[in-house]
Amino acid sequence: MKLYKKLLTVSLFVSALSVGCKKLDTIIENPNSVDPSQANVDLLLNGVQANFVSVFNNLSDFGQEVTRQQAMTGGPLYNNAYSPTSFDGTWTNAYTGVIKNANAVIPLALQQKKYLQAGIAQVFKAYVLGSMVDFFGDVPDKDAALGQDNLNPKADAGAEVYKTVFTLLDSAISNFSKTGGSAGPPNDLFYQSSTSKWRTAAKTLKLKFLMQTSLVDNTVTAKIQSLITENDFIKVD
């Protein structure tokens, strides 16, 4: 009987302690349990920018090699120039470096009225997704960058991924036109927080991707003409 009472007392103490810990956990921020909502938008965007540069450089190298604009040293034949592992770094930077961080930046930036930061992240994500389709065909989109919630994302059809690309660019253009928002990022590596230049870049990318779908989508002609009429593109002097 005494042993039973002791066990009962210990059990009640542990239960009370457990309840107390749960209550305590709701009123303090646990430094070991941080999540994206606690992140700094501008620091996250730095990571998006840096990883975007890596993706751009990698894909540019592959494209220039197969079109013989630079030496394809892994060849000389196309079918033995690359192996699947040749693209591991590109996929890692694209999905965990750009897309995952962009997914974290966009809602957080919009919540804080950092419209320029949200638009920049959308442009980078759009460029990377579209480029991955151009190089690899069907690639993950809807199931991508979900972490442990989906460890084996399925590939979406390239045409569907392109729809995401256009949605992102249209949203970015809208965000670049908003007023009354917070200050732009202190480390904009491309356009020094110029909303007009970022809007121009987004429209230029939209034209690029529309042109690439023109042979399989007869509805893009009007969209292309509309952009041409606006004439807001990156110009090379």
Side-chain angles (χ1 to χ4, degrees), residues 9-111:
T9 300
V10 171
S11 176
L12 291 173
F13 175 76
V14 171
S15 297
L17 183 62
S18 175
V19 171
C21 289
K22 288 180 180 179
K23 289 181 178 179
L24 185 63
D25 194 48
T26 63
I27 62 175
I28 65 172
E29 290 186 6
N30 185 349
N32 296 319
S33 184
V34 295
D35 59 66
S37 68
Q38 299 167 276
N40 181 295
V41 168
D42 294 322
L43 293 180
L44 268 178
L45 189 60
N46 287 344
V48 175
Q49 293 184 88
N51 283 286
F52 168 78
V53 172
S54 295
V55 175
F56 178 85
N57 287 338
N58 288 343
L59 292 180
S60 295
D61 285 342
F62 294 136
Q64 291 179 76
E65 287 170 4
V66 297
T67 55
R68 303 299 183 169
Q69 295 180 56
Q70 67 181 40
M72 189 171 66
T73 55
L77 302 178
Y78 291 110
N79 62 357
N80 64 8
Y82 309 106
S83 66
T85 57
S86 301
F87 307 100
D88 284 354
T90 301
W91 281 77
T92 298
N93 285 327
Y95 282 96
T96 66
V98 176
I99 294 173
K100 185 175 182 178
N101 284 322
N103 288 347
V105 167
I106 294 165
L108 196 58
L110 291 174
Q111 179 185 345

Side-chain angles (χ1 to χ4, degrees), residues 29-234:
E29 290 186 6
N30 185 349
N32 296 319
S33 184
V34 295
D35 59 66
S37 68
Q38 299 167 276
N40 181 295
V41 168
D42 294 322
L43 293 180
L44 268 178
L45 189 60
N46 287 344
V48 175
Q49 293 184 88
N51 283 286
F52 168 78
V53 172
S54 295
V55 175
F56 178 85
N57 287 338
N58 288 343
L59 292 180
S60 295
D61 285 342
F62 294 136
Q64 291 179 76
E65 287 170 4
V66 297
T67 55
R68 303 299 183 169
Q69 295 180 56
Q70 67 181 40
M72 189 171 66
T73 55
L77 302 178
Y78 291 110
N79 62 357
N80 64 8
Y82 309 106
S83 66
T85 57
S86 301
F87 307 100
D88 284 354
T90 301
W91 281 77
T92 298
N93 285 327
Y95 282 96
T96 66
V98 176
I99 294 173
K100 185 175 182 178
N101 284 322
N103 288 347
V105 167
I106 294 165
L108 196 58
L110 291 174
Q111 179 185 345
Q112 298 175 15
K113 295 185 177 180
K114 293 186 175 183
Y115 303 124
L116 181 55
Q117 287 89 327
I120 292 172
Q122 288 167 327
V123 168
F124 285 136
K125 180 179 177 181
Y127 185 97
V128 168
L129 276 175
S131 297
M132 293 297 283
V133 171
D134 294 342
F135 273 78
F136 302 106
D138 299 344
V139 296
D141 175 18
K142 293 181 176 62
D143 291 341
L146 298 179
Q148 63 182 7
D149 292 334
N150 191 338
L151 299 177
N152 189 28
K154 70 176 182 62
D156 295 290
E160 293 301 311
V161 181
Y162 256 55
K163 290 180 182 179
T164 300
V165 169
F166 292 126
T167 298
L168 285 166
L169 290 174
D170 286 338
S171 183
I173 292 167
S174 174
N175 282 322
F176 295 143
S177 301
K178 290 180 180 177
T179 59
S182 302
N187 295 312
D188 179 354
L189 303 179
F190 295 84
Y191 295 121
Q192 294 74 52
S193 296
S194 169
T195 54
S196 62
K197 289 182 178 179
W198 273 109
R199 186 166 52 248
T200 297
K203 290 182 179 180
T204 304
L205 283 178
K206 184 176 179 180
L207 178 64
K208 161 188 163 66
F209 288 121
L210 284 172
M211 292 292 291
Q212 290 171 198
T213 62
S214 60
L215 295 179
V216 294
D217 184 356
N218 58 12
T219 69
V220 302
T221 303
K223 298 173 185 176
I224 291 173
Q225 186 58 56
S226 177
L227 283 173
I228 292 175
T229 301
E230 291 180 24
N231 194 29
D232 187 10
F233 304 124
I234 296 173

